[in-house]
Amino acid sequence: MSNRDKRYELVLNSMMLEDDFQAWCDAFRKRAGQAGVSAQTLELCASHLRPDPRVLEKQSNQAEFTLTISQYLERAVTDKRIRKGRARFRDNRALLNGISEKFDVDPQIILAIWGLETDYGATRGDWPVLTALATLAQSGHRASFFEDELIAALTIIDAGDIAPAAMLGSWAGAMGHGQFMPSSVLRFAVDHDGDGRRDIWGDDPQDGLASIANYLAAHGWRMSRPCRVEVVLPQGFDHALAGRQVKRAVADWAGMGVQLADGSPVPDYGEASIVLPSGASGPAFMTFGNFDVLLTYNRADAYAIAVGLLADRVQGGRPIRTRCPDDLIVLSRDQMRELQERLTAAGYDTLGADGFPGPNTAAALRNYQRDNGLVADGFGSGAMLDHLRSRD
């Protein structure tokens, strides 16, 4: 399709979207009013509640990440980001330490989330959030979720925290230094500088960083405890024990032969799990309660590992010792769907084939691996898919 044809298609889609949107908007304004949004705010924001087909295009064309944990960490925790983090910590030492003392959250963790989410405030997003959320609420995937977030965004404006035109963020509605969705702003944003506004959007990061800390504290963060440590597993380790659903005392893991990556004993930080984000051939981590807290911020194991690693590296810690093999292939969504279909056809039901590697797929895959004399780590790699294909 030529650029001209693409522009024509975009204009045509926009016109069609406008027709449906107005009817939805009229009904939505009634629902928002019933939810407590004032008539004054609805009138103030009316011009921002409009469709933007570029948002739907973004949603339907999200990049698919097929990276090993080693590749992901190399992109997320770069030398540049580590150096910048050290500089930002020096520049904001008093602020970060003050927030840490108030909320009992380690300052380097607050800094690491700030660094991963917005490059320490440099890229907070420039999409009009009301327009983005209205578009997604009217015709996007998970429309009801985004309608709730749109009502939350209007409630924030109702409270006087920000003007409609200044509410900028990502195309999906995440905002500010910590990239909070509007519902999280309502629940966890704080006015740390005492100016009467919870301003997570502006250049001054005070309220944004304190809001990150408040979020973590509210979800059970424990000060001076790690979220994860890199470990080595002994020969013959039962990989069916890996996964966040299995929690054991550190002493129990030690009794099986699990050690820190340098060979020393793992300190007792409470109940722990063994996480293998890229299967048995990649690095292994022992995770603790703070890891689960980070997963409420972002559900990806790789994200939580990256937060902990960046926090460590800013303080002079070592990089991950174990690297994934260069020939390890992470499956695309279509390939994962094929693996699920082949597993189910072979008698190992994954309870659906949606292309996402959830616990049902991992359990089915472990059973298949165990029955075929393979390492039962439940990780769907390219080699695993080839093994299933070879049964044809």
Side-chain angles (χ1 to χ4, degrees), residues 26-39 42 151 154 158:
D26 292 341
F28 168 76
R29 286 166 64 94
K30 294 179 182 177
R31 292 193 293 271
Q34 292 167 354
V37 179
S38 71
L42 285 170
I151 290 173
L154 292 168
D158 226 1

Side-chain angles (χ1 to χ4, degrees), residues 242-245 336 339-344 347-370 377-380:
R244 288 184 287 106
Q245 73 280 0
M336 179 56 69
L339 180 139
Q340 292 167 329
E341 291 169 348
R342 288 181 177 275
L343 275 174
T344 299
Y348 301 85
D349 194 354
T350 61
L351 304 181
D354 58 3
F356 294 103
N360 294 327
T361 299
L365 184 52
R366 281 196 180 98
N367 290 333
Y368 174 86
Q369 290 167 324
R370 187 179 297 110
D377 60 4
F379 180 69

Side-chain angles (χ1 to χ4, degrees), residues 282-301:
F285 301 91
M286 187 179 291
T287 67
F288 308 97
N290 282 345
F291 190 84
D292 296 332
V293 173
L294 291 176
L295 290 176
T296 68
Y297 207 100
N298 183 309
R299 291 179 294 176
D301 287 350

Side-chain angles (χ1 to χ4, degrees), residues 88-103 105 107 110-111 114 177 192-193 203-211 213:
R88 290 293 178 272
F89 192 87
R90 288 193 300 269
D91 295 343
N92 296 277
R93 185 183 302 274
L95 172 63
L96 285 164
N97 286 339
I99 291 171
S100 173
E101 183 176 349
K102 179 177 180 179
F103 293 98
V105 175
I110 303 168
L111 181 81
W114 189 29
H177 290 269
H192 184 72
D193 60 12
D203 291 336
D204 186 339
Q206 288 193 55
D207 289 358
L209 298 181
S211 298

Side-chain angles (χ1 to χ4, degrees), residues 14-320:
S14 180
M15 291 172 62
M16 295 171 64
L17 194 58
E18 289 271 7
D19 291 340
D20 294 335
F21 186 86
Q22 190 55 53
W24 171 86
C25 194
D26 292 341
F28 168 76
R29 286 166 64 94
K30 294 179 182 177
R31 292 193 293 271
Q34 292 167 354
V37 179
S38 71
Q40 181 180 5
T41 291
L42 285 170
E43 186 63 31
L44 180 66
C45 297
S47 64
H48 299 276
L49 301 181
R50 60 181 185 273
D52 185 345
R54 297 174 304 162
V55 173
L56 298 178
E57 186 178 1
K58 278 280 188 182
Q59 188 183 49
S60 62
N61 292 304
Q62 294 180 66
E64 184 175 29
F65 296 100
T66 54
L67 303 176
T68 67
I69 186 61
S70 298
Q71 292 165 338
Y72 175 82
L73 292 176
E74 286 167 1
R75 296 188 183 192
V77 188
T78 62
D79 289 343
K80 181 179 179 181
R81 184 162 284 167
I82 294 165
R83 289 194 302 270
K84 191 171 182 179
R86 290 169 181 164
R88 290 293 178 272
F89 192 87
R90 288 193 300 269
D91 295 343
N92 296 277
R93 185 183 302 274
L95 172 63
L96 285 164
N97 286 339
I99 291 171
S100 173
E101 183 176 349
K102 179 177 180 179
F103 293 98
D104 283 332
V105 175
D106 303 83
Q108 64 271 20
I109 290 292
I110 303 168
L111 181 81
I113 290 177
W114 189 29
L116 287 177
E117 293 291 346
T118 61
D119 192 25
Y120 309 102
T123 54
R124 303 190 295 275
D126 56 4
W127 286 80
V129 166
L130 293 178
T131 299
L133 290 175
T135 302
L136 294 167
Q138 189 267 329
S139 55
H141 175 59
R142 298 172 67 205
S144 61
F145 166 79
F146 286 108
E147 178 166 315
D148 289 344
E149 293 296 334
L150 178 56
I151 290 173
L154 292 168
T155 304
I156 293 166
I157 293 169
D158 226 1
D161 287 318
I162 192 168
M167 184 180 270
L168 303 176
S170 75
W171 63 265
M175 304 180 290
H177 290 269
Q179 290 296 279
F180 282 2
M181 291 299 289
S183 59
S184 290
V185 175
L186 286 178
R187 293 178 62 194
F188 305 110
V190 294
D191 175 20
H192 184 72
D193 60 12
D195 68 352
R197 296 170 56 235
R198 300 170 298 174
D199 183 11
I200 66 167
W201 300 269
D203 291 336
D204 186 339
Q206 288 193 55
D207 289 358
L209 298 181
S211 298
I212 293 171
N214 186 44
Y215 179 100
L216 297 176
H219 285 83
W221 185 267
R222 298 187 67 184
M223 183 82 163
S224 302
R225 298 285 187 102
C227 57
R228 93 289 167 261
V229 293
E230 187 183 4
V231 295
V232 289
L233 306 179
Q235 286 282 0
F237 179 79
D238 182 3
H239 289 84
L241 295 175
R244 288 184 287 106
Q245 73 280 0
V246 178
K247 295 186 183 296
R248 299 281 179 89
V250 170
D252 291 342
W253 294 118
M256 299 178 201
V258 179
Q259 299 176 317
L260 289 175
D262 64 6
S264 61
V266 179
D268 189 355
Y269 297 115
E271 276 197 332
S273 301
I274 302 298
V275 171
L276 307 173
S278 287
S281 63
F285 301 91
M286 187 179 291
T287 67
F288 308 97
N290 282 345
F291 190 84
D292 296 332
V293 173
L294 291 176
L295 290 176
T296 68
Y297 207 100
N298 183 309
R299 291 179 294 176
D301 287 350
Y303 176 86
I305 291 167
V307 169
L309 179 60
L310 181 57
D312 289 349
R313 296 299 311 279
V314 166
Q315 296 181 100
R318 293 178 59 88
I320 301 301

